[in-house]
Amino acid sequence: MARHLVIGNGKMLLNLDNHCFIRDIYYPYVGQLNHVGGQTCRFGIWVAGRFAWLDDPGWKFELDYIEGSLVTNIIAKHEALGVQLHMNDGIHQRECIYIKRVVVRNLAGEPREFRMFFHQDLMIDGSEVGDTAAYFPENHTLFHYKRSSYFMFNGFSDEGGIMQYSTGIKRFQSAEGTWRDAEDGVLMGNSIAQGSVDSTISFRTIVPPGGEKTVYYWMTIGKGLEEVKELNQYVQENHPEKLLSRMVIYWKHWLHRAEKDLGDLPDDVIRIFKQSLLIVRTQTDERGAIVAANDTDILQYNRDHYSYMWPRDGALIAQSMSAAGFHSVIAPFFHFCAQALAPEGYLYHKYNPDGTVGSSWHPYIVQGSRRLPIQEDETALVLFALWKDYTRHQVIELPQSLYSNLIRKAAHFLTQYMEHSMSLPKPSYDLWEERYGIWTYTASSVYGGLMAAAYFTELFGDYERSDYYRNTAQSIKHGIITHLWDEETGRFARGLVQKDNRWVKDMTLESSLFAIWEFGVLPVDDERVVRTMQAIKEGLSVRTHVGGIARYTNDYYFQQSGDIEKVPGNPWIICTLWVANYEIESAESLEDLEGPKRTLQWVVDHALQSGVLPEQLNPHDGGPLSVAPLTWSHATFVQSVTKYAGKYRELTKLS
């Protein structure tokens, strides 16, 4: 499962698969609602009496983006049909407009007629019930609608606008959909359908031998018929070719604020760095939600998805984007969190992109005992990321606007949610959302969050609170060193769990123990940090040709191997980069950066052809597992490149 190409503008998001079929359209929020729901909006071609959708085995693809932009750059070739397609897809940087450009090259020795068929399989507002698809003669378009969601489809070739169209019933009784009607090269022309419906439109062009012609297709989205009509007219008046060109120009300018001096990193690492910045942008709603992933193929596993805003993912992604120079992109995230904060001062498990609380598997009561169903690191990390952003950009207006409704409120909760007998935070769920206890990662993040709150309160002259937050943080640091360091193994424990009414160490080796230095509990050169990170490198390395670092020993999520000695878990992009970040942070010479540079190249080598990064890899063949793209993977790559560039400059000055 993967979405090989993603495009968006902060209001809408569109995913394409490896056949260039549209699989997801999110509007009016990034990640909410999905108007395709993982179904397939097909694209096919008819020539000389033969027809092929783009998932026909005869097609060979090159999937990419125009460099430094969110406009795709795709080559599809079908030898048997004697045709090559050059395709570009983009979403307008401001309006909810999707444009596709298809250059048709005739590889045959005679002129031929080509017919392009575009299939619209929508399930508006996430449901197939009650949709309407209709031909609209006023402007010679086809549109779908339900309630306040409207989608209008149009296009043209040198032969004119829509040649044929059809609407019909899909996935009901024996009806497959209008896409079947297209396969003889002719559409029936049914002008309206209601219920579970789809539609197909076609365009024609005659291409000389060895020549090429261009076909344009577009979709406008709005809250009513007049809005989509106006956007459709806007495309026609400005011409889709010019609009696509402006999209490329816009995104290239958008990237200008990114770090330029990236040391000795290879060109392909720099390319994926820029592409990662852009992909993170597609997953970021302009109203603040930073969505984990929008690959709906994950639905087949548990009927839920990753299209949520986890405060943990969001905070770490915001921190990475801030470090790369994109303060304005992530500032709304902190306002989102302030609005989402519970009255008691904590953040829930996850949120929908509109700010409502998302689905959760964390219970309020277990075996008769009440629990707060949270992952405390999520609250703490928002404070930590906000301080990091301030230290880099010095935009004091942002924390000032969040001082009473986020900073003080969240910090107060962190100081109160304490297991005072051990000077550690009370139990909560771990960062992987799998187990309940007191975790080294969580405790370290709370330390970092409280220190951030102490710095902010000091910044604003609130010295008593600053002392209180700092003293609580130092108490937690003492608790971590006292109760979570394990002298026998010479490393930190994953955490503490209750057995027979007492706290015992969970010594499962865990990659997230990097938090000890990442959030400032101990310096990177502390012997306890060094020994813990060495244990991670040795014990969680995947010993296949794929390589990489696993989350923890015997990780069960999408587990592909029972050989735990060789494959402790699937290699995760973020976990592998955490080790690289440690190596960057602790590097004392340029030679010490060779290992992290190889890791960055490893990530590039295991990206999809388009540059998209998955959550994890198959340890045997290196293929993507779980969702792709995972925003956290791209943001961590951005973070690692930024850290590398900074350390390279520092060491170059010393050498």
Side-chain angles (χ1 to χ4, degrees), residues 219-273:
M219 168 184 65
T220 63
I221 308 179
K223 298 186 185 306
L225 182 57
E226 291 306 310
E227 184 176 353
V228 293
K229 282 168 55 182
E230 289 173 9
L231 291 173
N232 173 73
Q233 186 174 348
Y234 172 81
V235 177
Q236 291 177 310
E237 290 175 351
N238 287 274
H239 200 285
E241 185 76 33
K242 290 181 180 177
L243 293 178
L244 279 168
S245 176
R246 291 175 198 168
M247 293 175 205
V248 173
I249 292 167
Y250 173 83
W251 290 116
K252 286 182 179 293
H253 284 304
W254 184 87
L255 277 173
H256 279 177
R257 76 191 91 172
E259 177 63 59
K260 302 292 191 299
D261 181 7
L262 297 177
D264 63 344
L265 289 174
D267 289 344
D268 51 355
V269 170
I270 295 171
R271 182 179 69 86
I272 298 299
F273 168 70

Side-chain angles (χ1 to χ4, degrees), residues 477-494:
K477 175 177 179 177
H478 176 75
I480 291 171
I481 293 168
T482 303
H483 299 289
L484 290 166
W485 170 257
D486 186 72
E487 191 63 43
E488 184 178 342
T489 58
R491 64 173 175 85
F492 281 96
R494 172 158 72 178

